[in-house]
Amino acid sequence: MENEAVSRNFIEQMIEKDLAEGHCKTVKTRFPPEPNGYLHIGHAKSILLNYGLAQKYGGQFNFRFDDTNPTKEDTEFVESIKADVQWLGADWEDRLFFASDYFEEMYEAAVGLIRKGKAYVSDLSAEEIRQYRGTLTEPGREDPYASRSVEENLALFEGMKNGEFADGSKVLRARIDMASSNINMRDPVLYRVARMTHHNTGDRWCIYPMYDFAHPLEDAIEGITHSICTLEFEDHRPLYDWVVIETGYKNTPEDAPRQIEFAKLYLTNVVTGKRYIKKLVEEGIVDGWDDPRLVSIAALKRRGFTPESIRNFVELCGVSKSNSSVDYAMLEYCIREDLKMKCPRMMAALDPVKVVIDNYPEGQVEYLEVPNNLENPELGSRQVPFSRELYIDREDFMEVPPRKYFRLFPGNEVRLMNAYFVTCVSFQKDEEGNITEIHCTYDPASKGGNSPDGRKVKGTIHWVSAAHALPVEVRLYENIVDEERGVYNEDGSLNLNPNSRTILKNCFVEPNLAGAKAYDSFQFVRQGFFCVDARDSAEDALVFNRIVSLKSSYKLPNQ
Ligand code: ATP
Ligand code: MG
């Protein structure tokens, strides 16, 4: 992954240069989520990048809620975001902060700007401000309130804070340059009046700072050296620097804190935007922010992804300066790689059909010793009951097999995995032609799955003893959007895949799965990796999510 290695370095190179030239002494990064939704796989990239850089340079990683824009669900989101960052393993130690903790300092910084003549109170409405702002080709026009005196501005701003003015009736603007070619520099709004109850500060404030003013100050107050954000903020960087320089937190744009942008992580044909996920949740199309079809971190966790697999994925994606999109199959590759050695390999019939072994003694049970993971002997072995009546997967039997079908069909001999050779002697069907029962005979000499006379069979199938089988529910997932038609319709709505979730109610698994707990993962041999659903599974009614199937055509780039 040579290219990624080079591009990953662009942030590291900047950091190393800053350290060498003395613009900063240590490295301090942060992850600054806005508590207005659950985190998704893209945020995981940002979290692990910031945390990873702090670790690499022996610095510190701060976790800070950018809660300058209160909404009513804040507390739920704060809790979920904390759980997600912790789960990913980014350790903020004792440095959990809230932007709202700095409201006082931000207010003082704004007063300082007014005193310097660098900010003024305007009575223009939001719409008027937009009109005065100009366009990419036309300069903006001077705000008619820009000429207010320092004293008047100080009094008005204090009045804003004290609740003397209606919501939206006044704003504080920076005085920069209405003719700037960068629209962000045309006297941006720094504060607005808004009566909103804040999850942290309650009703104490009725003015709230805007992101472009608050964010650089939060970084500066915490001593962040490298403020890493995504590309859409590139055009805001001059304003970021203006704020920290004019408020006296730094002297030159090169000094810390310093903003560095990288490209967002996008997954091809996958919905990542908070806005869209929120819509799916609100419209009841998914059953919550952690619906296993989503790529929120909570959903990935519930589906059975591990922090290791996500770290590995983010690592493979690398860091770059140009937007691109990554195949979901790469994420699947990472979870398969992580689980294949870790998980016990169990037997399960997801679409069960009964097999009766006619010559096996009725009432007899044998316990067969089965290794839990052939590739990883450390996982030990278990005893699996075998008896006269079994369940196999319906697709492992065919009445009339096509060429190269080596599984069970009339007259054919196969291996029951870890057990015996069996030969199909007959079968029964219902009126609709569905196979209801398959009859076989077994070769007692082939115990363990090999015949002493050396004859070979081409097919090996899994099975579960019917009398011992545990009935469970299994949920299979596909992409929530219809990939053929693309993610979005012309009107911005999503193209949904009606088959994104298949619920299999009558599955049977081997009895060793009894007692499986939320988030426990297993390989079901020949089928895929499955994880106990943390929301809907119960001790006596297990529910499994399919994390990923076993096979993939996905190849790592450069392999
Ligand atoms: P979205 O709108 O995609 O849900 P956001 O940018 O509004 O996300 P924030 O809470 O503001 O979400 O983001 C917190 C941090 O995560 C920011 O630094 C942001 O740049 C970063 N981030 C958000 N989305 C991605 C992504 N897809 N890839 C990498 N970093 C991201
Ligand atoms: Mg945002």
Side-chain angles (χ1 to χ4, degrees):
M1 311 228 48
E2 232 171 273
N3 289 342
E4 266 70 16
V6 171
S7 48
R8 187 193 166 86
N9 268 341
F10 94 89
I11 296 184
E12 295 177 353
Q13 278 167 7
M14 288 173 87
I15 290 179
E16 283 162 25
K17 188 162 175 275
D18 287 346
L19 287 167
E21 292 176 0
H23 293 295
C24 60
K25 291 198 182 64
T26 56
V27 172
K28 256 188 125 166
T29 60
R30 86 286 173 265
F31 175 63
E34 195 182 331
N36 63 354
Y38 279 57
L39 300 182
H40 55 64
I41 184 77
H43 297 112
K45 175 167 185 170
S46 173
I47 294 164
L48 295 170
L49 174 64
N50 280 293
Y51 177 62
L53 288 167
Q55 281 206 306
K56 174 161 184 171
Y57 296 101
Q60 287 185 336
F61 166 77
N62 286 7
F63 181 16
R64 177 211 311 146
F65 283 96
D66 216 333
D67 58 350
T68 52
N69 192 14
T71 65
K72 59 181 186 310
E73 310 97 325
D74 282 357
T75 341
E76 178 195 350
F77 295 139
V78 165
E79 289 316 311
S80 77
I81 291 171
K82 267 158 83 172
D84 291 344
V85 175
Q86 189 161 28
W87 181 74
L88 282 172
D91 184 3
W92 62 85
E93 298 171 358
D94 58 352
R95 292 180 306 281
L96 170 63
F97 302 112
F98 290 85
S100 53
D101 293 340
Y102 315 137
F103 280 168
E104 198 64 56
E105 277 150 289
M106 291 176 188
Y107 178 79
E108 288 307 322
V111 169
L113 290 180
I114 297 173
R115 289 217 171 90
K116 284 172 73 179
K118 296 283 184 179
Y120 59 91
V121 173
S122 169
D123 297 2
L124 292 185
S125 68
E127 182 47 38
E128 286 165 331
I129 288 183
R130 210 166 304 129
Q131 285 165 9
Y132 274 76
R133 185 173 293 142
T135 63
L136 283 174
T137 48
E138 276 169 56
R141 282 177 290 140
E142 206 57 26
D143 185 315
Y145 300 96
S147 52
R148 279 174 167 158
S149 69
V150 168
E151 284 64 36
E152 195 182 355
N153 282 318
L154 285 171
L156 286 171
F157 189 49
E158 194 173 354
M160 282 168 66
K161 182 185 78 155
N162 293 339
E164 289 164 23
F165 305 112
D167 286 10
S169 63
K170 285 193 168 38
V171 292
L172 182 72
R173 299 184 76 172
R175 190 193 312 280
I176 308 180
D177 179 6
M178 287 309 290
S180 171
S181 58
N182 182 341
I183 294 185
N184 295 300
M185 300 299 272
R186 295 184 188 167
D187 293 12
V189 173
L190 307 180
Y191 265 94
R192 63 198 167 119
V193 182
R195 284 162 180 82
M196 298 185 292
T197 302
H198 190 281
H199 75 109
N200 230 3
T201 55
D203 294 324
R204 204 180 135 218
W205 293 90
C206 64
I207 54 171
Y208 288 98
M210 304 303 287
Y211 178 89
D212 279 333
F213 180 62
H215 199 85
L217 290 177
E218 294 156 24
D219 287 340
I221 291 167
E222 288 176 18
I224 298 303
T225 57
H226 296 87
S227 176
I228 296 163
C229 64
T230 41
L231 285 184
E232 71 273 24
F233 292 102
E234 197 159 20
D235 290 343
H236 297 238
R237 194 190 325 140
L239 179 52
Y240 182 100
D241 288 336
W242 185 92
V243 170
V244 268
I245 290 171
E246 293 301 336
T247 55
Y249 281 98
K250 72 174 188 178
N251 297 315
T252 76
E254 288 71 34
D255 290 342
R258 182 145 108 89
Q259 178 178 303
I260 303 175
E261 310 85 15
F262 73 100
K264 275 195 173 181
L265 170 63
Y266 291 103
L267 289 174
T268 314
N269 286 332
V270 173
V271 186
T272 43
K274 227 181 264 173
R275 205 152 53 88
Y276 288 98
I277 296 185
K278 197 170 189 156
K279 213 163 157 243
L280 292 171
V281 173
E282 281 167 0
E283 291 177 6
I285 293 163
V286 295
D287 68 8
W289 285 89
D290 63 353
D291 185 294
R293 288 167 289 182
L294 298 175
V295 291
S296 64
I297 295 176
L300 290 167
K301 176 181 178 198
R302 180 170 166 203
R303 173 111 171 225
F305 281 82
T306 57
E308 293 79 9
S309 65
I310 291 173
R311 281 203 287 269
N312 196 13
F313 172 70
V314 164
E315 200 65 44
L316 283 175
C317 290
V319 180
S320 107
K321 203 66 183 168
S322 57
N323 280 318
S324 64
S325 141
V326 176
D327 210 332
Y328 184 80
M330 190 157 125
L331 192 54
E332 295 190 315
Y333 165 86
C334 292
I335 187 65
R336 270 191 212 100
E337 283 299 299
D338 187 42
L339 294 183
K340 73 180 185 198
M341 303 295 275
K342 283 185 187 168
C343 289
R345 301 177 182 180
M346 318 291 272
M347 294 194 283
L350 302 190
D351 183 9
V353 59
K354 186 165 278 182
V355 170
V356 180
I357 303 173
D358 294 335
N359 61 339
Y360 193 87
E362 223 157 310
Q364 178 173 310
V365 181
E366 280 178 88
Y367 282 85
L368 305 168
E369 170 103 4
V370 173
N372 284 329
N373 185 326
L374 274 177
E375 289 174 63
N376 182 4
E378 277 175 27
L379 292 187
S381 63
R382 67 188 188 282
Q383 304 283 323
V384 182
F386 183 85
S387 65
R388 187 169 192 265
E389 296 195 359
L390 313 168
Y391 290 114
I392 65 166
D393 254 304
R394 194 168 286 279
E395 62 173 26
D396 285 338
F397 175 82
M398 282 187 106
E399 181 181 353
V400 184
R403 276 189 63 221
K404 298 205 169 165
Y405 184 86
F406 300 122
R407 295 174 257 173
L408 212 50
F409 55 87
N412 192 39
E413 186 172 48
V414 300
R415 175 187 294 108
L416 292 177
M417 195 176 279
N418 303 302
Y420 292 101
F421 282 13
V422 292
T423 304
C424 175
V425 291
S426 67
F427 61 90
Q428 289 159 19
K429 280 204 266 194
D430 65 12
E431 280 140 33
E432 280 140 33
N434 301 310
I435 308 292
T436 52
E437 204 165 279
I438 300 161
H439 286 261
C440 293
T441 55
Y442 86 119
D443 174 2
S446 62
K447 186 168 179 177
N450 289 299
S451 71
D453 62 13
R455 76 181 186 281
K456 298 265 186 274
V457 288
K458 282 198 166 151
T460 299
I461 64 178
H462 57 272
W463 50 273
V464 183
S465 168
H468 304 88
L470 217 56
V472 301
E473 178 177 318
V474 172
R475 297 172 180 175
L476 308 178
Y477 301 105
E478 285 177 25
N479 195 344
I480 191 134
V481 300
D482 182 341
E483 298 184 12
E484 305 265 295
R485 295 190 297 153
V487 180
Y488 306 106
N489 290 309
E490 265 176 23
D491 64 1
S493 62
L494 294 168
N495 267 320
L496 295 172
N497 169 9
N499 305 314
S500 58
R501 180 171 70 185
T502 307
I503 298 185
L504 306 174
K505 290 264 184 203
N506 304 304
C507 308
F508 287 111
V509 298
E510 57 172 281
N512 292 296
L513 282 156
K517 299 274 180 301
Y519 303 113
D520 284 352
S521 294
F522 305 91
Q523 183 181 131
F524 291 170
V525 287
R526 302 176 59 223
Q527 325 229 37
F529 291 98
F530 295 79
C531 176
V532 178
D533 188 77
R535 196 190 272 268
D536 298 334
S537 193
E539 210 176 317
D540 54 353
L542 292 174
V543 175
F544 288 92
N545 295 315
R546 183 169 69 191
I547 310 168
V548 65
S549 58
L550 286 182
K551 298 236 166 55
S552 158
S553 52
Y554 182 75
K555 292 263 184 305
L556 272 182
N558 302 344
Q559 279 200 346

